[in-house]
Amino acid sequence: MDQKPKPSLIWSFLTLRCPRCRRGSMFRHKNPYKKFGINYMLDSHKYCPVCGQKFKLEPGFWFGTSYVSYGIMVIVSAITFFLWWVIIGFSKDDNLLIDWLITNAVIIFMLQPYVMRLSRLLFLGFFIRYNEHYDEEPPENNL
């Protein structure tokens, strides 16, 4: 009875692991900030190195990630707005709203490479579920 522990869903998403086995890295390069280029940031393996799951399920598959990325950035903006409001506050007599907009834009710009990767993984997670027997059963969506 040698059972492998089930990896955490949240931790596997935050560390950008395959949604099927939660162990294999989805992207070739661990650091999306090392080179600034879309080809470098989104350079993923064709198949999971651990379970063999195909990552690009069909042509144009990744277009749906823009909606996921947009949703994540709306949440980030709402959080920064709330924190700014609680910590610093807003008033009619100053430009704190403009300061928040500039700060929020900088935060969004800095998070963009990681969020682009995370949105790809979350979108793939809508279609591929965790399989604890990933090493015994072949992936279903591989064509």
Short mmCIF file of all heavy atoms in Angstrom, two decimals, residues 10-63:
data_model
loop_
_atom_site.label_atom_id
_atom_site.label_comp_id
_atom_site.label_asym_id
_atom_site.label_seq_id
_atom_site.Cartn_x
_atom_site.Cartn_y
_atom_site.Cartn_z
N ILE A 10 -4.59 24.24 -4.57
CA ILE A 10 -4.17 25.65 -4.59
C ILE A 10 -2.66 25.75 -4.78
O ILE A 10 -2.19 26.55 -5.59
CB ILE A 10 -4.63 26.36 -3.30
CG1 ILE A 10 -6.15 26.41 -3.28
CG2 ILE A 10 -4.05 27.76 -3.21
CD1 ILE A 10 -6.75 26.91 -1.99
N TRP A 11 -1.90 24.94 -4.05
CA TRP A 11 -0.45 25.01 -4.17
C TRP A 11 0.02 24.58 -5.57
O TRP A 11 0.92 25.19 -6.13
CB TRP A 11 0.23 24.14 -3.10
CG TRP A 11 1.71 24.26 -3.13
CD1 TRP A 11 2.60 23.32 -3.53
CD2 TRP A 11 2.48 25.41 -2.77
NE1 TRP A 11 3.89 23.80 -3.44
CE2 TRP A 11 3.83 25.09 -2.98
CE3 TRP A 11 2.15 26.67 -2.29
CZ2 TRP A 11 4.85 25.99 -2.71
CZ3 TRP A 11 3.18 27.56 -2.04
CH2 TRP A 11 4.50 27.21 -2.25
N SER A 12 -0.62 23.59 -6.14
CA SER A 12 -0.22 23.16 -7.48
C SER A 12 -0.55 24.22 -8.52
O SER A 12 0.19 24.40 -9.48
CB SER A 12 -0.87 21.82 -7.84
OG SER A 12 -2.25 21.94 -7.95
N PHE A 13 -1.66 24.95 -8.34
CA PHE A 13 -1.96 26.04 -9.27
C PHE A 13 -1.00 27.21 -9.08
O PHE A 13 -0.52 27.78 -10.06
CB PHE A 13 -3.40 26.53 -9.10
CG PHE A 13 -4.41 25.71 -9.87
CD1 PHE A 13 -5.74 25.76 -9.54
CD2 PHE A 13 -4.03 24.89 -10.92
CE1 PHE A 13 -6.68 25.01 -10.23
CE2 PHE A 13 -4.95 24.14 -11.63
CZ PHE A 13 -6.28 24.21 -11.28
N LEU A 14 -0.70 27.56 -7.85
CA LEU A 14 0.21 28.68 -7.60
C LEU A 14 1.63 28.39 -8.07
O LEU A 14 2.36 29.31 -8.45
CB LEU A 14 0.21 29.05 -6.11
CG LEU A 14 -1.08 29.68 -5.60
CD1 LEU A 14 -0.99 29.95 -4.11
CD2 LEU A 14 -1.42 30.95 -6.35
N THR A 15 2.03 27.12 -8.04
CA THR A 15 3.36 26.75 -8.52
C THR A 15 3.34 26.30 -9.97
O THR A 15 4.34 25.80 -10.48
CB THR A 15 3.98 25.65 -7.64
OG1 THR A 15 3.11 24.52 -7.61
CG2 THR A 15 4.25 26.15 -6.24
N LEU A 16 2.19 26.47 -10.64
CA LEU A 16 2.01 26.23 -12.08
C LEU A 16 2.32 24.79 -12.47
O LEU A 16 3.11 24.52 -13.37
CB LEU A 16 2.87 27.22 -12.88
CG LEU A 16 2.66 28.69 -12.54
CD1 LEU A 16 3.69 29.55 -13.24
CD2 LEU A 16 1.25 29.13 -12.90
N ARG A 17 1.68 23.86 -11.79
CA ARG A 17 1.84 22.43 -12.05
C ARG A 17 0.68 21.90 -12.89
O ARG A 17 -0.40 22.47 -12.91
CB ARG A 17 1.90 21.64 -10.74
CG ARG A 17 3.01 22.07 -9.81
CD ARG A 17 4.32 21.72 -10.38
NE ARG A 17 5.39 22.25 -9.54
CZ ARG A 17 6.65 22.10 -9.82
NH1 ARG A 17 7.02 21.44 -10.90
NH2 ARG A 17 7.57 22.60 -9.04
N CYS A 18 0.90 20.79 -13.54
CA CYS A 18 -0.10 20.15 -14.39
C CYS A 18 -1.37 19.87 -13.59
O CYS A 18 -1.31 19.35 -12.48
CB CYS A 18 0.48 18.83 -14.92
SG CYS A 18 -0.70 17.78 -15.76
N PRO A 19 -2.55 20.20 -14.13
CA PRO A 19 -3.79 19.94 -13.38
C PRO A 19 -4.14 18.46 -13.25
O PRO A 19 -4.87 18.08 -12.35
CB PRO A 19 -4.86 20.68 -14.18
CG PRO A 19 -4.29 20.89 -15.53
CD PRO A 19 -2.81 20.90 -15.38
N ARG A 20 -3.61 17.62 -14.11
CA ARG A 20 -3.93 16.19 -14.07
C ARG A 20 -3.15 15.46 -12.98
O ARG A 20 -3.71 14.68 -12.22
CB ARG A 20 -3.66 15.54 -15.42
CG ARG A 20 -4.04 14.08 -15.45
CD ARG A 20 -3.99 13.54 -16.88
NE ARG A 20 -4.37 12.15 -16.88
CZ ARG A 20 -3.50 11.14 -16.86
NH1 ARG A 20 -2.21 11.38 -16.86
NH2 ARG A 20 -3.93 9.90 -16.85
N CYS A 21 -1.84 15.70 -12.89
CA CYS A 21 -1.04 15.00 -11.89
C CYS A 21 -0.61 15.90 -10.74
O CYS A 21 -0.20 15.41 -9.69
CB CYS A 21 0.20 14.38 -12.54
SG CYS A 21 1.40 15.56 -13.18
N ARG A 22 -0.68 17.21 -10.93
CA ARG A 22 -0.27 18.22 -9.95
C ARG A 22 1.20 18.10 -9.56
O ARG A 22 1.60 18.52 -8.49
CB ARG A 22 -1.15 18.17 -8.71
CG ARG A 22 -2.59 18.49 -8.97
CD ARG A 22 -3.38 18.53 -7.70
NE ARG A 22 -4.81 18.68 -7.99
CZ ARG A 22 -5.74 18.54 -7.09
NH1 ARG A 22 -5.44 18.25 -5.85
NH2 ARG A 22 -7.01 18.68 -7.43
N ARG A 23 2.00 17.50 -10.43
CA ARG A 23 3.41 17.32 -10.13
C ARG A 23 4.33 17.89 -11.22
O ARG A 23 5.35 18.46 -10.92
CB ARG A 23 3.71 15.84 -9.92
CG ARG A 23 3.15 15.32 -8.62
CD ARG A 23 3.27 13.81 -8.51
NE ARG A 23 2.89 13.33 -7.21
CZ ARG A 23 1.65 13.15 -6.79
NH1 ARG A 23 0.64 13.43 -7.58
NH2 ARG A 23 1.40 12.70 -5.58
N GLY A 24 3.97 17.72 -12.46
CA GLY A 24 4.81 18.17 -13.56
C GLY A 24 4.67 19.65 -13.83
O GLY A 24 3.58 20.21 -13.77
N SER A 25 5.78 20.29 -14.11
CA SER A 25 5.76 21.72 -14.42
C SER A 25 5.16 21.94 -15.80
O SER A 25 5.49 21.23 -16.75
CB SER A 25 7.18 22.28 -14.37
OG SER A 25 7.18 23.63 -14.71
N MET A 26 4.30 22.93 -15.93
CA MET A 26 3.67 23.20 -17.22
C MET A 26 4.59 24.00 -18.13
O MET A 26 4.56 23.83 -19.34
CB MET A 26 2.37 23.96 -17.00
CG MET A 26 1.60 24.19 -18.27
SD MET A 26 -0.01 24.87 -17.88
CE MET A 26 -0.55 25.31 -19.51
N PHE A 27 5.44 24.84 -17.56
CA PHE A 27 6.26 25.74 -18.36
C PHE A 27 7.72 25.32 -18.34
O PHE A 27 8.22 24.79 -17.35
CB PHE A 27 6.11 27.17 -17.84
CG PHE A 27 4.71 27.68 -18.01
CD1 PHE A 27 3.79 27.59 -16.98
CD2 PHE A 27 4.30 28.22 -19.21
CE1 PHE A 27 2.49 28.03 -17.15
CE2 PHE A 27 3.00 28.66 -19.40
CZ PHE A 27 2.10 28.57 -18.35
N ARG A 28 8.40 25.56 -19.43
CA ARG A 28 9.80 25.18 -19.58
C ARG A 28 10.72 25.99 -18.67
O ARG A 28 11.68 25.48 -18.14
CB ARG A 28 10.25 25.37 -21.03
CG ARG A 28 9.59 24.45 -22.01
CD ARG A 28 10.15 24.69 -23.41
NE ARG A 28 9.36 24.05 -24.42
CZ ARG A 28 9.53 22.79 -24.80
NH1 ARG A 28 10.46 22.06 -24.26
NH2 ARG A 28 8.76 22.28 -25.73
N HIS A 29 10.42 27.26 -18.50
CA HIS A 29 11.25 28.15 -17.71
C HIS A 29 10.52 28.48 -16.41
O HIS A 29 9.37 28.90 -16.44
CB HIS A 29 11.56 29.43 -18.48
CG HIS A 29 12.01 29.19 -19.89
ND1 HIS A 29 13.25 28.68 -20.19
CD2 HIS A 29 11.37 29.35 -21.06
CE1 HIS A 29 13.36 28.56 -21.50
NE2 HIS A 29 12.23 28.95 -22.05
N LYS A 30 11.21 28.31 -15.29
CA LYS A 30 10.56 28.54 -14.00
C LYS A 30 10.28 30.01 -13.73
O LYS A 30 9.31 30.36 -13.10
CB LYS A 30 11.42 27.97 -12.88
CG LYS A 30 11.45 26.47 -12.88
CD LYS A 30 12.16 25.94 -11.69
CE LYS A 30 12.16 24.43 -11.78
NZ LYS A 30 12.40 23.79 -10.54
N ASN A 31 11.14 30.89 -14.21
CA ASN A 31 11.02 32.31 -13.91
C ASN A 31 10.49 33.06 -15.14
O ASN A 31 11.21 33.24 -16.11
CB ASN A 31 12.38 32.87 -13.50
CG ASN A 31 12.31 34.30 -13.06
OD1 ASN A 31 11.27 34.93 -13.08
ND2 ASN A 31 13.45 34.84 -12.66
N PRO A 32 9.23 33.54 -15.10
CA PRO A 32 8.69 34.26 -16.26
C PRO A 32 9.29 35.66 -16.42
O PRO A 32 9.10 36.30 -17.44
CB PRO A 32 7.19 34.34 -15.97
CG PRO A 32 7.09 34.29 -14.50
CD PRO A 32 8.23 33.42 -14.04
N TYR A 33 10.00 36.14 -15.41
CA TYR A 33 10.55 37.49 -15.44
C TYR A 33 11.99 37.54 -15.94
O TYR A 33 12.55 38.61 -16.07
CB TYR A 33 10.50 38.11 -14.04
CG TYR A 33 9.10 38.27 -13.51
CD1 TYR A 33 8.54 37.32 -12.67
CD2 TYR A 33 8.33 39.36 -13.88
CE1 TYR A 33 7.25 37.48 -12.19
CE2 TYR A 33 7.04 39.52 -13.41
CZ TYR A 33 6.51 38.57 -12.57
OH TYR A 33 5.24 38.72 -12.10
N LYS A 34 12.58 36.39 -16.21
CA LYS A 34 13.99 36.36 -16.61
C LYS A 34 14.23 37.08 -17.94
O LYS A 34 15.16 37.86 -18.07
CB LYS A 34 14.48 34.92 -16.69
CG LYS A 34 15.97 34.80 -16.82
CD LYS A 34 16.41 33.36 -16.69
CE LYS A 34 17.91 33.28 -16.77
NZ LYS A 34 18.36 31.91 -16.66
N LYS A 35 13.39 36.81 -18.92
CA LYS A 35 13.44 37.49 -20.21
C LYS A 35 12.08 38.10 -20.47
O LYS A 35 11.06 37.48 -20.21
CB LYS A 35 13.73 36.50 -21.35
CG LYS A 35 15.13 36.10 -21.51
CD LYS A 35 15.21 35.25 -22.78
CE LYS A 35 16.57 34.71 -23.02
NZ LYS A 35 16.60 33.83 -24.19
N PHE A 36 12.10 39.32 -20.99
CA PHE A 36 10.82 39.96 -21.27
C PHE A 36 10.46 39.70 -22.73
O PHE A 36 10.93 40.36 -23.63
CB PHE A 36 10.88 41.45 -20.98
CG PHE A 36 9.53 42.09 -20.93
CD1 PHE A 36 8.68 41.83 -19.87
CD2 PHE A 36 9.11 42.90 -21.94
CE1 PHE A 36 7.42 42.39 -19.82
CE2 PHE A 36 7.84 43.48 -21.91
CZ PHE A 36 7.01 43.21 -20.84
N GLY A 37 9.64 38.72 -22.93
CA GLY A 37 9.17 38.37 -24.26
C GLY A 37 8.05 37.36 -24.13
O GLY A 37 8.11 36.46 -23.31
N ILE A 38 7.03 37.52 -24.94
CA ILE A 38 5.85 36.67 -24.82
C ILE A 38 6.19 35.21 -25.10
O ILE A 38 5.64 34.31 -24.48
CB ILE A 38 4.70 37.18 -25.72
CG1 ILE A 38 3.36 36.63 -25.26
CG2 ILE A 38 4.91 36.84 -27.16
CD1 ILE A 38 2.76 37.35 -24.14
N ASN A 39 7.11 34.96 -26.03
CA ASN A 39 7.48 33.59 -26.36
C ASN A 39 8.20 32.93 -25.19
O ASN A 39 8.06 31.73 -24.96
CB ASN A 39 8.35 33.54 -27.61
CG ASN A 39 7.56 33.89 -28.85
OD1 ASN A 39 6.35 33.72 -28.89
ND2 ASN A 39 8.24 34.40 -29.86
N TYR A 40 8.98 33.69 -24.45
CA TYR A 40 9.69 33.13 -23.29
C TYR A 40 8.72 32.90 -22.13
O TYR A 40 8.74 31.86 -21.50
CB TYR A 40 10.81 34.08 -22.85
CG TYR A 40 11.56 33.58 -21.66
CD1 TYR A 40 12.60 32.67 -21.81
CD2 TYR A 40 11.24 33.99 -20.37
CE1 TYR A 40 13.29 32.19 -20.71
CE2 TYR A 40 11.92 33.52 -19.28
CZ TYR A 40 12.95 32.63 -19.45
OH TYR A 40 13.62 32.15 -18.36
N MET A 41 7.87 33.90 -21.86
CA MET A 41 6.96 33.80 -20.72
C MET A 41 5.98 32.64 -20.84
O MET A 41 5.65 32.00 -19.86
CB MET A 41 6.17 35.10 -20.56
CG MET A 41 6.95 36.23 -20.00
SD MET A 41 5.92 37.65 -19.65
CE MET A 41 5.80 38.41 -21.26
N LEU A 42 5.49 32.39 -22.05
CA LEU A 42 4.46 31.38 -22.23
C LEU A 42 4.97 30.10 -22.88
O LEU A 42 4.19 29.30 -23.38
CB LEU A 42 3.31 31.97 -23.07
CG LEU A 42 2.61 33.17 -22.43
CD1 LEU A 42 1.55 33.71 -23.36
CD2 LEU A 42 2.04 32.83 -21.08
N ASP A 43 6.27 29.89 -22.84
CA ASP A 43 6.87 28.71 -23.45
C ASP A 43 6.58 27.50 -22.56
O ASP A 43 7.22 27.29 -21.54
CB ASP A 43 8.38 28.91 -23.62
CG ASP A 43 9.03 27.78 -24.38
OD1 ASP A 43 8.31 27.05 -25.08
OD2 ASP A 43 10.27 27.64 -24.28
N SER A 44 5.59 26.71 -22.95
CA SER A 44 5.20 25.56 -22.14
C SER A 44 5.61 24.26 -22.83
O SER A 44 5.87 24.23 -24.03
CB SER A 44 3.69 25.56 -21.89
OG SER A 44 2.99 25.40 -23.09
N HIS A 45 5.65 23.22 -22.03
CA HIS A 45 5.90 21.89 -22.58
C HIS A 45 4.70 21.51 -23.44
O HIS A 45 3.57 21.92 -23.18
CB HIS A 45 6.06 20.86 -21.47
CG HIS A 45 7.24 21.10 -20.59
ND1 HIS A 45 8.52 20.85 -20.98
CD2 HIS A 45 7.32 21.59 -19.33
CE1 HIS A 45 9.35 21.14 -20.00
NE2 HIS A 45 8.64 21.60 -18.99
N LYS A 46 4.93 20.69 -24.45
CA LYS A 46 3.81 20.19 -25.26
C LYS A 46 3.01 19.16 -24.46
O LYS A 46 1.78 19.11 -24.52
CB LYS A 46 4.35 19.57 -26.55
CG LYS A 46 3.28 19.27 -27.56
CD LYS A 46 3.87 18.87 -28.90
CE LYS A 46 2.74 18.68 -29.89
NZ LYS A 46 3.21 18.40 -31.22
N TYR A 47 3.71 18.34 -23.70
CA TYR A 47 3.10 17.33 -22.83
C TYR A 47 3.70 17.47 -21.43
O TYR A 47 4.83 17.90 -21.27
CB TYR A 47 3.38 15.91 -23.35
CG TYR A 47 2.79 15.63 -24.70
CD1 TYR A 47 3.52 15.82 -25.86
CD2 TYR A 47 1.48 15.19 -24.81
CE1 TYR A 47 2.98 15.58 -27.11
CE2 TYR A 47 0.92 14.94 -26.06
CZ TYR A 47 1.67 15.14 -27.19
OH TYR A 47 1.12 14.90 -28.42
N CYS A 48 2.93 17.08 -20.43
CA CYS A 48 3.42 17.11 -19.05
C CYS A 48 4.60 16.15 -18.92
O CYS A 48 4.51 14.99 -19.35
CB CYS A 48 2.31 16.70 -18.09
SG CYS A 48 2.85 16.58 -16.37
N PRO A 49 5.71 16.58 -18.33
CA PRO A 49 6.86 15.70 -18.19
C PRO A 49 6.62 14.53 -17.23
O PRO A 49 7.36 13.54 -17.26
CB PRO A 49 7.98 16.61 -17.68
CG PRO A 49 7.35 17.88 -17.31
CD PRO A 49 5.99 17.94 -17.89
N VAL A 50 5.60 14.59 -16.39
CA VAL A 50 5.34 13.53 -15.42
C VAL A 50 4.26 12.56 -15.91
O VAL A 50 4.47 11.35 -15.93
CB VAL A 50 4.95 14.13 -14.04
CG1 VAL A 50 4.55 13.03 -13.06
CG2 VAL A 50 6.08 14.97 -13.49
N CYS A 51 3.10 13.09 -16.34
CA CYS A 51 1.98 12.20 -16.68
C CYS A 51 1.69 12.12 -18.17
O CYS A 51 0.90 11.29 -18.60
CB CYS A 51 0.72 12.63 -15.93
SG CYS A 51 0.01 14.20 -16.49
N GLY A 52 2.29 12.97 -18.98
CA GLY A 52 2.09 12.91 -20.42
C GLY A 52 0.84 13.62 -20.92
O GLY A 52 0.47 13.47 -22.08
N GLN A 53 0.19 14.40 -20.07
CA GLN A 53 -1.01 15.14 -20.48
C GLN A 53 -0.64 16.19 -21.52
O GLN A 53 0.29 16.95 -21.34
CB GLN A 53 -1.66 15.82 -19.26
CG GLN A 53 -2.81 16.73 -19.59
CD GLN A 53 -3.98 16.00 -20.22
OE1 GLN A 53 -4.43 14.99 -19.71
NE2 GLN A 53 -4.47 16.51 -21.33
N LYS A 54 -1.41 16.24 -22.60
CA LYS A 54 -1.21 17.25 -23.63
C LYS A 54 -1.75 18.58 -23.11
O LYS A 54 -2.87 18.64 -22.59
CB LYS A 54 -1.93 16.83 -24.91
CG LYS A 54 -1.68 17.72 -26.08
CD LYS A 54 -2.36 17.16 -27.33
CE LYS A 54 -2.10 18.03 -28.52
NZ LYS A 54 -2.74 17.49 -29.72
N PHE A 55 -0.97 19.65 -23.24
CA PHE A 55 -1.38 20.94 -22.71
C PHE A 55 -2.20 21.76 -23.70
O PHE A 55 -3.14 22.44 -23.31
CB PHE A 55 -0.18 21.74 -22.23
CG PHE A 55 0.43 21.19 -20.98
CD1 PHE A 55 1.80 21.12 -20.84
CD2 PHE A 55 -0.35 20.76 -19.93
CE1 PHE A 55 2.37 20.62 -19.68
CE2 PHE A 55 0.20 20.26 -18.77
CZ PHE A 55 1.57 20.19 -18.65
N LYS A 56 -1.86 21.74 -24.97
CA LYS A 56 -2.64 22.49 -25.96
C LYS A 56 -3.63 21.51 -26.58
O LYS A 56 -3.28 20.71 -27.45
CB LYS A 56 -1.73 23.08 -27.02
CG LYS A 56 -2.43 23.99 -27.98
CD LYS A 56 -1.46 24.61 -28.97
CE LYS A 56 -2.18 25.49 -29.94
NZ LYS A 56 -1.27 26.06 -30.93
N LEU A 57 -4.87 21.58 -26.15
CA LEU A 57 -5.86 20.56 -26.53
C LEU A 57 -6.35 20.70 -27.96
O LEU A 57 -6.72 19.70 -28.58
CB LEU A 57 -7.04 20.61 -25.56
CG LEU A 57 -6.69 20.35 -24.09
CD1 LEU A 57 -7.95 20.37 -23.24
CD2 LEU A 57 -5.95 19.05 -23.92
N GLU A 58 -6.40 21.92 -28.50
CA GLU A 58 -6.87 22.12 -29.88
C GLU A 58 -6.34 23.47 -30.36
O GLU A 58 -5.93 24.30 -29.55
CB GLU A 58 -8.39 22.08 -29.95
CG GLU A 58 -9.07 23.14 -29.12
CD GLU A 58 -10.57 22.99 -29.11
OE1 GLU A 58 -11.08 21.86 -29.06
OE2 GLU A 58 -11.24 24.03 -29.16
N PRO A 59 -6.36 23.71 -31.67
CA PRO A 59 -5.91 25.02 -32.18
C PRO A 59 -6.78 26.15 -31.62
O PRO A 59 -8.00 26.03 -31.54
CB PRO A 59 -6.09 24.91 -33.69
CG PRO A 59 -6.08 23.44 -33.97
CD PRO A 59 -6.67 22.78 -32.76
N GLY A 60 -6.15 27.22 -31.21
CA GLY A 60 -6.87 28.35 -30.65
C GLY A 60 -7.35 28.15 -29.24
O GLY A 60 -8.14 28.93 -28.72
N PHE A 61 -6.87 27.10 -28.57
CA PHE A 61 -7.34 26.76 -27.23
C PHE A 61 -7.08 27.87 -26.23
O PHE A 61 -7.90 28.14 -25.36
CB PHE A 61 -6.67 25.46 -26.77
CG PHE A 61 -7.05 25.04 -25.38
CD1 PHE A 61 -8.31 24.52 -25.12
CD2 PHE A 61 -6.16 25.17 -24.33
CE1 PHE A 61 -8.67 24.14 -23.85
CE2 PHE A 61 -6.52 24.78 -23.05
CZ PHE A 61 -7.78 24.27 -22.81
N TRP A 62 -5.95 28.56 -26.35
CA TRP A 62 -5.55 29.53 -25.33
C TRP A 62 -6.28 30.87 -25.44
O TRP A 62 -6.08 31.74 -24.61
CB TRP A 62 -4.05 29.75 -25.38
CG TRP A 62 -3.26 28.52 -25.06
CD1 TRP A 62 -2.33 27.93 -25.85
CD2 TRP A 62 -3.33 27.71 -23.88
NE1 TRP A 62 -1.82 26.81 -25.24
CE2 TRP A 62 -2.43 26.65 -24.03
CE3 TRP A 62 -4.09 27.77 -22.72
CZ2 TRP A 62 -2.24 25.68 -23.06
CZ3 TRP A 62 -3.91 26.79 -21.75
CH2 TRP A 62 -2.99 25.77 -21.93
N PHE A 63 -7.13 31.07 -26.44
CA PHE A 63 -7.85 32.34 -26.54
C PHE A 63 -8.76 32.58 -25.34
O PHE A 63 -9.01 33.71 -24.96
CB PHE A 63 -8.66 32.42 -27.84
CG PHE A 63 -7.81 32.62 -29.05
CD1 PHE A 63 -7.91 31.77 -30.13
CD2 PHE A 63 -6.91 33.67 -29.12
CE1 PHE A 63 -7.13 31.95 -31.25
CE2 PHE A 63 -6.13 33.86 -30.23
CZ PHE A 63 -6.23 33.00 -31.30
#
